[in-house]
Amino acid sequence: SQAEDNKRIPFPHMIYFGDGETDVPCMKIVKMFGGNSIAVYNPEIKKKVNVARKLLRQERVNFITPANYTKESRTYEVVCSIIDKIKADFDLTKLARSK
């Protein structure tokens, strides 16, 4: 059986979605420890757009994107790119260990 510590997901493998001020502490911590934080917003509400832009400016999140989760959306593109990066980092780590 695996040790409990080995079952935990490392921060660089985390993606945190937040849509409001209450998510800011979590988004900031995930980003600070190497994960990816995404602030999603309703593009029709100017205040929400401005809050997201402010979070990006303050470097509390890695990305901002409209809260649209379809395959054609920016959100989908961002998440797939993050997953590709996690996979590439994993593969490189594995290659570095092998001879």
Side-chain angles (χ1 to χ4, degrees):
S1 145
Q2 267 189 320
E4 196 60 36
D5 285 346
N6 293 339
K7 291 182 184 175
R8 298 219 168 104
I9 297 171
F11 277 101
H13 294 184
M14 291 183 190
I15 302 173
Y16 188 96
F17 290 85
D19 67 351
E21 296 292 325
T22 58
D23 293 302
V24 172
C26 289
M27 290 191 288
K28 188 175 175 183
I29 286 171
V30 168
K31 182 181 182 290
M32 185 184 345
F33 288 103
N36 287 276
S37 292
I38 304 171
V40 295
Y41 58 88
N42 180 340
E44 295 173 17
I45 302 174
K46 189 77 174 154
K47 184 180 178 202
K48 296 288 187 183
V49 176
N50 290 336
V51 167
R53 287 183 179 152
K54 183 178 173 188
L55 292 173
L56 189 63
R57 231 182 6 260
Q58 293 174 339
E59 300 183 357
R60 293 175 183 229
V61 297
N62 303 87
F63 303 95
I64 62 171
T65 182
N68 173 352
Y69 306 98
T70 63
K71 262 192 162 177
E72 299 78 31
S73 70
R74 174 179 157 79
T75 305
Y76 186 88
E77 183 180 6
V78 168
V79 171
C80 287
S81 295
I82 292 168
I83 292 168
D84 290 344
K85 181 185 182 303
I86 291 168
K87 169 88 168 74
D89 288 343
F90 177 82
D91 290 345
L92 287 169
T93 300
K94 204 165 63 176
L95 285 169
R97 289 187 193 135
S98 64
K99 295 174 183 150

